[in-house]
Amino acid sequence: MSEMDAILSVRDVAKLYGGRGGCKEVSFDLWPGEVLGIVGESGSGKTTLLDCLSGRRTPDAGRIMYRGRDGEMLDVHALSEPRRRLLMRTDWGIVHQNPRDGLRMGVSAGANIGERLMAVGARHYGQIRGSANDWLERVEIDENRIDDRPMTFSGGMQQRLQIARNLVNGPRLVFMDEPTGGLDVSVQARLLDLLRRLVREMHLACIIVTHDLGVARLLAHRLMVMKDGRVIEEGLTDQVLDDPHHPYTQLLVSSVLPA
Ligand SMILES: Nc1ncnc2c1ncn2[C@@H]1O[C@H](COP(=O)(O)OP(=O)(O)OP(=O)(O)O)[C@@H](O)[C@H]1O
Ligand SMILES: [Mg+2]
């Protein structure tokens, strides 16, 4: 594939905080349907980069181009704020580590899903409720819970609801920052299974930040390894994890480092 086919094309992105921290010189292309994992130790710049890519933080330098539904390339940070917000509602999903950051805890599960549909113009109550029901089922939440508020849900259920809220609009690109972060191992496994299935079914392009190499192995086709704000190694997931070239990746994989 050529650069022309990328859904996201990233060149020399940098975001420094007063000259230090952040991320720098990041370039890559993301293909439709591809899951890209970003791994690296705490403080390596993963979240900073993801926030720049998803338009929520303005980089100091570089360019992030998104290919819209009609094929045109859009410069994410050159768009007007309303256009960028529209893109976030229609084309993108953002799954936060903490469901509180991605859900409205005070309104019902059904409303959390329905709100996203209404944001793109859905008005028919019965259809909205029907979609909410379907999505609860898809993320394995009992539809009897549709009128309950997410604060009455377990952590795993909240995370599944957050996923439903993000996917109900049929996005093309989803950003996830440590989606399994705060969960028990067994709950994580179920969530990973679900994510893997949905990503495949919906042919989603996905960028997933994690410091859990097991999560990266399960979900990501390709990996970028970050250290001190830079990408120090990238390649197909199995290659990077089974045959790491950079000494830092070797340490990360041998779990000498506190990932
Ligand atoms: N708002 C900010 N102001 C100043 N420095 C920041 C800010 N946000 C992040 N940093 C610094 O930038 C670097 C990268 O932080 P970032 O949060 O992107 O790392 P991370 O890889 O996501 O870490 P973690 O795995 O702990 O979430 C760190 O040194 C951090 O201290
Ligand atoms: Mg982070």
Side-chain angles (χ1 to χ4, degrees):
M1 271 189 270
S2 80
E3 192 181 312
M4 299 298 293
D5 302 310
I7 188 165
L8 199 69
S9 187
V10 179
R11 292 294 176 272
D12 296 318
V13 164
K15 171 70 197 176
L16 300 174
Y17 302 104
R20 46 209 305 253
C23 64
K24 42 197 166 274
E25 292 172 25
V26 179
S27 299
F28 66 92
D29 291 313
L30 181 76
W31 313 111
E34 183 181 39
V35 181
L36 175 70
I38 303 178
V39 299
E41 68 191 332
S42 184
S44 56
K46 304 182 297 297
T47 295
T48 301
L49 175 61
L50 196 76
D51 289 352
C52 290
L53 299 177
S54 59
R56 289 169 302 160
R57 204 185 289 245
T58 311
D60 304 328
R63 215 148 73 125
I64 299 159
M65 305 292 287
Y66 168 70
R67 178 180 303 283
R69 287 181 199 264
D70 54 10
E72 61 180 329
M73 290 306 273
L74 306 169
D75 182 334
V76 170
H77 290 277
L79 292 174
S80 67
E81 187 62 23
R83 278 204 77 192
R84 193 161 45 239
R85 296 215 159 273
L86 182 68
L87 211 57
M88 288 179 180
R89 287 199 302 272
T90 57
D91 283 35
W92 295 0
I94 297 177
V95 177
H96 300 265
Q97 170 171 359
N98 187 340
R100 284 178 181 279
D101 298 328
L103 288 175
R104 294 219 295 141
M105 300 306 276
V107 305
S108 70
N112 265 280
I113 300 175
E115 196 175 61
R116 290 279 292 192
L117 289 170
M118 290 168 70
V120 293
R123 289 292 173 266
H124 188 284
Y125 178 78
Q127 279 168 9
I128 293 170
R129 186 140 175 121
S131 295
N133 250 322
D134 285 349
W135 269 95
L136 286 179
E137 194 184 328
R138 289 186 79 172
V139 300
E140 301 164 8
I141 294 174
D142 190 330
E143 58 188 73
N144 290 329
R145 304 296 302 267
I146 191 166
D147 294 318
D148 295 350
R149 287 183 288 178
M151 59 201 199
T152 67
F153 288 6
S154 70
M157 284 168 73
Q158 288 177 358
Q159 205 54 312
R160 294 200 301 278
L161 181 63
Q162 195 191 172
I163 288 163
R165 175 174 161 97
N166 271 280
L167 298 188
V168 65
N169 280 350
R172 304 171 68 225
L173 174 58
V174 176
F175 302 94
M176 304 192 203
D177 197 347
E178 304 278 5
T180 60
L183 305 172
D184 290 346
V185 174
S186 64
V187 176
Q188 267 193 30
R190 184 169 166 202
L191 188 72
L192 283 173
D193 244 26
L194 179 74
L195 273 177
R196 196 149 74 140
R197 185 154 44 77
L198 290 172
V199 163
R200 200 185 304 131
E201 281 171 12
M202 299 177 74
H203 195 64
L204 286 176
C206 210
I207 301 185
I208 176 164
V209 161
T210 178
H211 53 233
D212 184 329
L213 298 182
V215 170
R217 169 94 76 183
L218 262 171
L219 288 180
H221 302 122
R222 194 152 56 97
L223 281 189
M224 297 200 312
V225 183
M226 291 187 72
K227 180 183 190 314
D228 300 332
R230 292 173 198 277
V231 176
I232 54 145
E233 180 157 1
E234 76 168 293
L236 296 176
T237 300
D238 290 344
Q239 270 168 22
V240 171
L241 296 181
D242 295 338
D243 183 22
H245 286 196
H246 194 286
Y248 173 80
T249 315
Q250 291 166 359
L251 287 175
L252 202 66
V253 168
S254 64
S255 46
V256 176
L257 292 175

